[in-house]
Amino acid sequence: MPATGQSLGAATRDGVIERAREALALKRLDEPDSSDHLRRPDVSDLLRHSIPDDAQPVTITPAPINPLSLEVRRAIEASTLSTEAIARQLNTGHWVILRMMDPFYWKHSLVTLRELADALQLTVQVTLIPAEEQARKLGGTGSAGRAPRTSGSAP
C-alpha cells in the first residue's frame, strides 16, 4: 500500500481492506499531518505496471481508533510492570493485556479496566461527553464514531 509503505495480505478482499484501513489509521496517528499525503493517489511506476488492467480502485478510509485503548497503552508503558506481570496479577493471559492495548479493540469492560488500574496503582475515571466533542478532540477524523453502545451497570 503506497501511502503507508506496507504490504498487506489477508485471506479475503474484505480482510485486505480492513488491514489497509487500520494501516491508514495508524499512519494518521503517527503522522497527524499526513492526511493530505494519504489522499493523493501515489502509485510508483514499478507498482503501476503490476496492476491488472481490470483492477477496480477502492477508496479506503482510516479505521476508527479507540482512545481508551491508547490510554491503556500509555498507562502500561508508563508503568514499571511488563504486560506478562500485569497478566499474572489479573489472573489472565498475556494476550488479554495486549488486546486491551490494541487501538482497534472496542470491548473493554469496566471491571477489567478497574483491575488493570489496581495493578498499575491507578484509578479509573469515566466521563461521558457528546460524540461531536470527542470527534473534535480527535481532529474530526471520525475516530470516535465506532464506539459500541453498552448497557447495564458497572460495579
Side-chain angles (χ1 to χ4, degrees), residues 7-34:
S7 176
L8 303 170
T12 65
R13 179 180 185 272
D14 288 343
V16 171
I17 290 171
E18 188 57 29
R19 286 183 190 254
R21 294 181 72 228
E22 291 175 356
L24 284 174
L26 292 174
K27 174 107 173 147
R28 182 175 281 174
L29 188 63
D30 290 341
E31 301 172 24
D33 297 333
S34 68

Side-chain angles (χ1 to χ4, degrees), residues 117-133:
D118 287 344
L120 299 176
Q121 297 180 344
L122 300 170
T123 60
V124 174
Q125 180 180 359
V126 177
T127 305
L128 301 175
I129 61 172
E132 297 81 23
E133 183 179 333

